[in-house]
Amino acid sequence: MTLRSYVTSRVLLMIPMVMLLLTLVFVILRIIPGDPALLHFEKGVDPVVLAEFRTRLGLDKPILEQYFDYLWGIFHGDFGISMQDYQPISTHLFGRFPATLELSIYSILFAVLLGLALGVKASKNYDTTTDHSIRLFSIVTYAIPVFFLGMVLQFIFSIWLGWLPTGRRFPGRYTPPPTITGLYTIDSILAGDLFSLVTSVTYLILPTITLGTILCGIFIRFTRTNMLETLRMDFVIAAQARGLSNGTVTYRYALRNAFLPILTMIGIQFAALLAGAILTETTFSWPGLGTYLVARISRRDYTAIQGTVVFFGVLVSMLTLFVDILYAYLDPRIRL
Amino acid sequence: MALIEAKNVKMYFPVQRGFIDSLFKGETTFVRAIDDVSLQIEKGETLGLAGESGSGKTTMGRLCVRLLKPTEGQIIYDGEDIADIRGKELRLLRRRLQFTFQDPTSSLNPRLSVGKAIADALKFQKLGTPAERKEKAEEVLEKVGLSPASSFYDRLPHQLSGGQKQRVVFGRAIIMDPEFVVTDEPVAMVDVSIKAQLLELMLDLKKDLDLTYLFISHDLATARHVCDRIAIMYLGRVIELGDRNQVYENPLHPYTVGLIGAIPVPDPKARRSEAIPPGEIPSPIDPPSGCRFHPRCPKCMEKCKTEDPEFREVETGHSVACHLF
Amino acid sequence: MTNALRIQDLTVEYKTRRGVARAVDRIRLSLEENRTLGLAGESGCGKSTLGRAIMRLVPYPGQIADGNIYINIDEDIPCKEGDIPKGEVDITELNEEQMRVLRGKEIAYIFQDPMTSLNPMLTIGSHFVQMIRAHDPEIEKEEALDRGKEVLEGLGILPERVTDYPHQFSGGMRQRVMIGLGLVLRPRLLISDEPTTSLDVIVEAQILEQMAELKKKFNLTMILITHNLGVLAQTADDIAIMYCGRLVELASVENVFEAPQHPYAQALLLSVPDVTKPDKKLVWIPGAPPDLVDPIPGCMFNPRCPMAMDICKTQVPPLIESETGGLVACHLYGGK
Ligand SMILES: Nc1ncnc2c1ncn2[C@@H]1O[C@H](COP(=O)(O)OP(=O)(O)OP(=O)(O)O)[C@@H](O)[C@H]1O
Ligand SMILES: Nc1ncnc2c1ncn2[C@@H]1O[C@H](COP(=O)(O)OP(=O)(O)O)[C@@H](O)[C@H]1O
Ligand code: SF4
Ligand code: SF4
Ligand SMILES: [Mg+2]
Ligand SMILES: [Mg+2]
């Protein structure tokens, strides 16, 4: 199969997947719980207010019509309006998305780099104390709750040592760099603003380490297993027998081949990443999608919850798609 | 009358393509695994089927026992065309025609005891009660030399050596009292020191149970020791067929000559005389025109490039497909 | 004549969960320059382990437990971590970096399965470039590639195919590439482990013929490991027969085939089918070799040996000179 047809079929396959996702979210959040308007107000509300509320949100229409309105809206980037403030949800989503994206990118980078480094180290030292300690570390990080690790780090580095801020993305008394990408680090570089860059980095460090550490356990273990397998393969031993240096054999031969399955793992981990982001953001008051979602859940803002979940869902499917295509591109057996 | 006869059999496998490729590009391409083969297997004989990897030996064997349905052509068993039968009739046919797979390790379920693996063959055919099946399976274990049966019945495949696994595979084939067995590379995976033992077991079983064999092998030296007649395959065709002495002492087709000349002889004084054919076997998707062997043939003539040589008998019982004859 | 290789009391052990398996048991042999030594025996008798030990690449959990391996080097070899002087060198004494320098340059190794011994992520050309540059970083990439092309051309592969990936080559072509990689640095000793076992007879014959030509051209000393005695009869000068990790017979090819001394060697030869002798009555060796983790006392072959005596069950037969001028380890010989 050529790369082109692989990409085409993979993209076509995504359509039914996303449709299924959208429908599931609609069924779970809109139909199963009962009348969202009543749930929103909880108890005793004036029927007139209720009726008006329903009309503004389109909740008075037949359920099927609501469903099609919902789909139609999403294809136009319209995620409905919030029950809370009657604002379009998309404004919030797009406004907060860069914050989540920035945290996610650095966290996954941290997790992957640490995971690869430790995984390779463990596999090269198979069945030694180094190997056992790294494995233990990977299991521990996988088991620690996000907020616990976040709070421990906050306690040590912010409260006790006072080196880093406890939360938020940027100090309130300064203005963040002018928005171009919405990622503060990138924007400060683009604006040539060293102060903003340093500031945004100091704010990023703790949440990144927290989320990255939680994610890296699985990468360590996956890298280790794949490396162990690859290091035993004939072509790796053949490379050693040709006198290639240890580094070349480990990285150019073994890791490069072990990396393909790891890449798939990264794709699968995006869902975990976003779930982790929600908790990390809450711990560090990071003004991203996660804090938004948590705030809306506490206000019973069903439309906003639905919009955010859909947004996350579509994002995860697109990232997975991207990783799959990257995989196909990197593997010469698929690439043409 | 031949026990099994293949008449102008073809087996084309569509080339695996992605769903999208098949939408964009109209026609499908085919692997011509078997391309017009006629073959007769006489009752009571051992017919060898030899040739390089990918020449179609396994495919031909599977067609003969109807594990595959030919794209075209007839397979005649006991005077009846079985190419198109299906369902219950096909299931009943399986009792009479058996096939042993190339790799004994992967053809045995690693979690099923070997005794049960043999007994299950009866279960699939809905024969006997569990007790009867077990009894029969133990009898078969003894017959294939895994004795005492009680000590082998409950063993898992990984507790057996390669040769013992191959015995189990034979046992599974003979429990149904078949008439015809295709053995696909039965001794390819076992050590030379026990090869002869398995071959002798095969011949003993043949005598005791009145079997007819199609013996598939790429090892021509072994084939010579077991087969009565031998068919040489090249790229989906049988290109030479004869009595084993005819084929080995007087090979006619230039490919057979090269193939036999290439066999390493365990005697340091015997030096290779024949030139080895250059190159490798081409793709069966788009076989060469005319004689399929012509790009590698040392005796290739003009006519060979365009005209497909007919497979004909040149002396009693010895047929060849080559313009030289 | 000088010895290209001399092995003394080499013992290699695998420490497995079931116990220690001695895959190579006090082997002593020497190999004269420009000769081909065939190494034969049943599967699992330690042929590959011995070959890998000479490269000092015994797979985990294996380890050279004892003994020395001397190879003859005809010029001083510079190395970052201690130059290697010319003359006889004990490679069990060398450090990892010194060993790396020797691999591929002085000793080359060809593996059994050509389908898995090339890196699927690298082009054929890159294999050559990386190997050549691992031994001489001064060489330009283009020059290394040209040398690769030249070698491939000599083996009948079109030079423009260096940009292809391994999966685009057939098994026979891949094995030619492996041979090319083995010979590109002109090593003196070539160890090939079942180089043609997974290939068809015609391709096997083609490759053996090419190897014989190259051996002459490059003055190679060869160790050919195979269980196919037919192949050995056609290619080897001397044959060593191993049984359960021990050397049981070593003699010239003519003597092994005509007057095998050891009962195991005799039985092995009788079991080989010969296409030129249709009436040869094939015999087999009853039983199976003992488990290496649970070795038996005395001569390891005694339960299967038709000539076994009482002494065979208690004392290990020493390797002594045989009547035919070779070596044999059996109590039938040596006047006792
Ligand atoms: N199910 C299948 N789908 C597509 N192609 C197939 C299939 N089975 C076999 N082929 C192709 O048909 C040709 C003949 O295959 P077959 O397995 O019969 O060869 P063989 O002679 O038994 O080889 P070997 O000695 O390697 O076992 C090969 O090119 C093979 O790739
Ligand atoms: N990686 C390994 N771990 C444990 N045992 C091994 C390993 N590799 C080989 N062995 C054992 O060492 C013995 C010799 O194996 P090997 O050298 O591969 O034999 P040969 O090449 O003659 O077939 C066998 O008993 C085998 O099971
Ligand atoms: S028909 Fe021609 S090309 Fe084919 S084998 Fe005979 S001589 Fe060779
Ligand atoms: S030492 Fe004894 S058992 Fe071993 S091969 Fe010689 S005669 Fe047979
Ligand atoms: Mg086959
Ligand atoms: Mg081996």
Side-chain angles (χ1 to χ4, degrees), chain C residues 45-308:
Chain C
C45 71
K47 306 182 294 293
S48 304
T49 306
L50 175 58
R52 297 271 293 263
I54 300 171
M55 295 298 276
R56 271 198 31 205
L57 283 176
V58 181
Y60 180 90
Q63 189 161 56
I64 298 181
D66 194 15
N68 310 81
I69 302 166
Y70 300 95
I71 64 164
N72 222 317
I73 296 172
D74 56 4
E75 56 179 3
D76 294 343
I77 297 178
C79 169
K80 282 200 295 267
E81 292 173 26
D83 294 353
I84 308 163
K86 72 176 181 194
E88 214 172 43
V89 175
D90 182 359
I91 61 169
T92 57
E93 301 282 316
L94 298 182
N95 61 39
E96 254 318 297
E97 174 63 16
Q98 289 174 318
M99 210 45 228
R100 181 191 77 71
V101 171
L102 290 186
R103 290 186 194 125
K105 193 162 170 55
E106 288 294 321
I107 325 169
Y109 201 94
I110 295 171
F111 289 82
Q112 167 165 357
D113 191 354
M115 301 319 257
T116 56
S117 16
L118 292 165
N119 186 343
M121 303 283 282
L122 291 182
T123 62
I124 301 300
S126 312
H127 280 87
F128 279 96
V129 173
Q130 290 188 0
M131 164 161 197
I132 294 172
R133 283 169 49 95
H135 290 278
D136 187 354
E138 312 267 280
I139 294 184
E140 292 294 318
K141 213 174 146 184
E142 286 73 31
E143 196 192 328
L145 199 57
D146 284 342
R147 278 173 66 183
K149 284 181 181 170
E150 197 182 308
V151 171
L152 287 179
E153 209 170 359
L155 287 159
I157 294 174
L158 292 177
E160 53 269 27
R161 298 208 59 180
V162 289
T163 50
D164 281 357
Y165 285 90
H167 72 275
Q168 291 163 299
F169 276 30
S170 72
M173 288 164 79
R174 288 187 212 189
Q175 199 57 297
R176 289 193 177 95
V177 171
M178 287 305 292
I179 294 172
L181 283 167
L183 296 184
V184 69
L185 294 179
R186 308 275 169 100
R188 296 181 76 200
L189 179 62
L190 176 68
I191 304 170
S192 27
D193 189 357
E194 315 258 6
T196 56
T197 302
S198 58
L199 304 172
D200 272 309
V201 266
I202 291 188
V203 183
E204 171 174 69
Q206 290 168 348
I207 286 188
L208 290 175
E209 197 164 274
Q210 276 174 333
M211 283 177 70
E213 275 165 29
L214 290 165
K215 182 190 167 219
K216 227 180 274 160
K217 192 167 149 199
F218 294 145
N219 268 333
L220 283 172
T221 308
M222 274 198 345
I223 296 181
L224 181 66
I225 300 174
T226 176
H227 65 269
N228 188 337
L229 289 163
V231 167
L232 287 187
Q234 308 290 304
T235 42
D237 300 312
D238 300 303
I239 291 183
I241 294 181
M242 283 178 73
Y243 187 76
C244 291
R246 294 182 190 159
L247 186 62
V248 296
E249 178 151 3
L250 173 73
S252 72
V253 68
E254 289 81 15
N255 284 338
V256 166
F257 279 92
E258 256 151 47
Q261 302 287 303
H262 197 277
Y264 176 66
Q266 292 164 355
L268 203 58
L269 282 165
L270 289 176
S271 70
V272 183
D274 183 345
V275 75
T276 58
K277 299 196 187 85
D279 302 323
K280 175 174 175 181
K281 174 95 181 87
L282 300 183
V283 297
W284 62 84
I285 307 172
D291 187 353
L292 290 182
V293 173
D294 189 15
I296 53 173
C299 169
M300 291 269 224
F301 189 54
N302 81 64
R304 304 171 81 189
C305 180
M307 259 86 98

Side-chain angles (χ1 to χ4, degrees), chain A residues 45-198:
Chain A
V45 60
D46 187 346
V48 184
V49 176
L50 195 63
E52 200 215 302
F53 179 79
R54 286 210 170 107
T55 331
R56 282 188 80 165
L57 287 157
L59 295 176
D60 51 348
K61 295 186 195 162
I63 196 79
L64 213 59
E65 201 179 326
Q66 287 187 39
Y67 174 65
F68 285 113
D69 282 350
Y70 154 81
L71 288 184
W72 185 247
I74 285 168
F75 288 119
H76 291 80
D78 173 4
F79 290 82
I81 48 178
S82 162
M83 288 181 169
Q84 188 66 29
D85 50 16
Y86 303 116
Q87 295 283 316
I89 294 160
S90 51
T91 326
H92 294 286
L93 292 182
F94 292 124
R96 282 164 167 265
F97 175 59
T100 302
L101 184 68
E102 185 163 42
L103 174 61
S104 306
I105 289 176
Y106 290 113
S107 306
I108 199 127
L109 265 179
F110 179 84
V112 169
L113 291 180
L114 190 65
L116 287 180
L118 291 181
V120 168
K121 189 150 182 75
S123 67
K124 296 274 299 179
N125 295 288
Y126 177 67
D127 208 9
T128 61
T129 327
T130 319
D131 181 29
H132 299 313
S133 336
I134 294 176
R135 276 175 68 191
L136 186 68
F137 174 74
S138 78
I139 293 167
V140 170
T141 56
Y142 197 62
I144 290 187
V146 181
F147 60 84
F148 178 74
L149 178 64
M151 284 182 335
V152 170
L153 290 178
Q154 274 173 339
F155 180 75
I156 298 174
F157 291 98
S158 316
I159 298 168
W160 191 30
L161 295 172
W163 291 350
L164 295 165
T166 42
R168 307 179 55 111
R169 213 183 158 196
F170 214 76
R173 59 207 136 95
Y174 302 108
T175 32
T179 307
I180 301 170
T181 59
L183 309 182
Y184 287 178
T185 43
I186 309 280
D187 286 346
S188 350
I189 292 171
L190 290 176
D193 180 349
L194 188 64
F195 173 76
S196 295
L197 181 64
V198 173

Side-chain angles (χ1 to χ4, degrees), chain B residues 51-54 57 161 188 190-200 218-225 244-245 248-249 255 258-272 274 276-281 293 296, chain C residues 41-44 170-173 176 197 199-206 208-209 227-231 233-236 253-254 257-258 264 268-269 271-288 304:
Chain B
E52 283 175 279
S53 182
K57 306 182 295 290
S161 71
V190 303
D191 245 307
V192 59
S193 59
I194 53 162
K195 230 178 227 183
Q197 199 175 11
L198 284 170
L199 295 176
E200 183 156 304
H218 68 267
D219 175 1
L220 282 110
T222 306
R224 173 149 211 190
H225 282 89
R244 68 163 171 188
N245 289 328
Y248 285 97
E249 308 285 336
Y255 176 66
L259 197 61
I260 291 175
I263 304 168
V265 179
D267 178 358
K269 280 182 307 217
R271 285 290 158 200
R272 279 199 188 94
E274 313 294 341
I276 304 153
E280 289 177 40
I281 191 165
F293 187 56
R296 302 171 71 190
Chain C
E42 273 166 286
S43 109
S170 72
M173 288 164 79
R176 289 193 177 95
T197 302
L199 304 172
D200 272 309
V201 266
I202 291 188
V203 183
E204 171 174 69
Q206 290 168 348
L208 290 175
E209 197 164 274
H227 65 269
N228 188 337
L229 289 163
V231 167
Q234 308 290 304
T235 42
V253 68
E254 289 81 15
F257 279 92
E258 256 151 47
Y264 176 66
L268 203 58
L269 282 165
S271 70
V272 183
D274 183 345
V275 75
T276 58
K277 299 196 187 85
D279 302 323
K280 175 174 175 181
K281 174 95 181 87
L282 300 183
V283 297
W284 62 84
I285 307 172
R304 304 171 81 189

Side-chain angles (χ1 to χ4, degrees), chain A residues 2-53:
Chain A
T2 64
L3 183 61
R4 204 191 64 203
S5 67
Y6 177 78
V7 172
T8 326
S9 47
R10 188 65 187 71
V11 171
L12 287 183
L13 226 118
M14 210 181 115
I15 296 171
M17 255 167 55
V18 170
M19 285 305 293
L20 186 71
L21 172 87
L22 295 182
T23 311
L24 272 178
V25 171
F26 186 81
V27 170
I28 291 170
L29 284 173
R30 196 76 158 258
I31 300 179
I32 293 177
D35 185 346
L38 277 179
L39 285 169
H40 178 67
F41 290 109
E42 243 174 314
K43 53 187 178 246
V45 60
D46 187 346
V48 184
V49 176
L50 195 63
E52 200 215 302
F53 179 79

